[in-house]
C-alpha cells in the first residue's frame, strides 16, 4: 500500500506564502501523476493542481492559477506546492494524491487518483 505524507501546512496571514510537501512511499514517483486537492469545511473536495510524469506538465484549478506552483523532486520522491498570495478562501485541508497506474494523463477528478495522504491544514487569516 502506497503511503503519502504531507507537511508544511500552518497559519499564515493573507498575502503570505507556504510550501507544502508530499513524500511518497513508492520506490520512485517516476511515471505517476500526482496532485493536490483541498477541502474546506462544509464543501466538497476541490482540485488544486496536478503534475504529469511527462515533461513535468502541470494543471491548475482556476482559483489558484498564477498563485500556486506544483513541482516534483524525483531524488526525494516528493512533490511540492508553493502557495503565494494566499487568501482566506484558500483555508482548507490540503491532500496529496497519486495514481496507481503509470504513464497516464493528468486528471482533475478526485476519483481518478488511487492513493491519498492524511492531509495538512492550511489556515489563512484576514
Amino acid at each position: 500500500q502506497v503511503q503519502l505524507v504531507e507537511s508544511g501546512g500552518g497559519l499564515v496571514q493573507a498575502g503570505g506564502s507556504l510550501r507544502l510537501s508530499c513524500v511518497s512511499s513508492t520506490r520512485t514517483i517516476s511515471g505517476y501523476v500526482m496532485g493536490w486537492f483541498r477541502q474546506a469545511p462544509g464543501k466538497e473536495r476541490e482540485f488544486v493542481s496536478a503534475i504529469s510524469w511527462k515533461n513535468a506538465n502541470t494543471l491548475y484549478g482556476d482559483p489558484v492559477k498564477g498563485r500556486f506552483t506544483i513541482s516534483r523532486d524525483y531524488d526525494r520522491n516528493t512533490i511540492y506546492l508553493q502557495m503565494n498570495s494566499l487568501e482566506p478562501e484558500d483555508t482548507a485541508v490540503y491532500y496529496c494524491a497519486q495514481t496507481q497506474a503509470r504513464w497516464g494523463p493528468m486528471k482533475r477528478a478526485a476519483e481518478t487518483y488511487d492513493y491519498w495522504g492524511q492531509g495538512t491544514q492550511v489556515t489563512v487569516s484576514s
Side-chain angles (χ1 to χ4, degrees), residues 13-116:
Q13 288 188 332
S17 299
L18 283 174
R19 188 177 80 155
L20 305 183
S21 301
C22 170
V23 181
S24 173
S25 66
T26 48
R27 184 174 62 84
T28 175
I29 59 173
S30 175
Y32 299 104
V33 173
M34 298 188 71
W36 290 97
F37 289 77
R38 66 186 183 185
Q39 189 165 18
K43 295 188 176 181
E44 293 187 353
R45 192 165 293 193
E46 176 186 31
F47 172 77
V48 174
S49 183
I51 187 164
S52 170
W53 51 269
K54 188 175 183 180
N55 299 323
N57 289 340
T58 57
L59 198 61
Y60 294 96
D62 287 343
V64 307
K65 278 182 183 176
R67 299 188 298 123
F68 291 12
T69 303
I70 191 171
S71 60
R72 66 197 305 167
D73 184 334
Y74 289 105
D75 291 338
R76 290 179 169 81
N77 260 23
T78 299
I79 65 167
Y80 303 97
L81 185 68
Q82 178 66 43
M83 306 186 295
N84 298 330
S85 302
L86 283 161
E87 304 166 353
E89 293 73 22
D90 296 316
T91 295
V93 177
Y94 283 71
Y95 297 91
C96 175
Q98 181 176 332
T99 58
Q100 183 181 48
R102 299 177 81 181
W103 321 119
M106 288 186 293
K107 296 289 181 64
R108 296 173 182 266
E111 56 266 26
T112 62
Y113 294 82
D114 303 285
Y115 304 111
W116 294 83

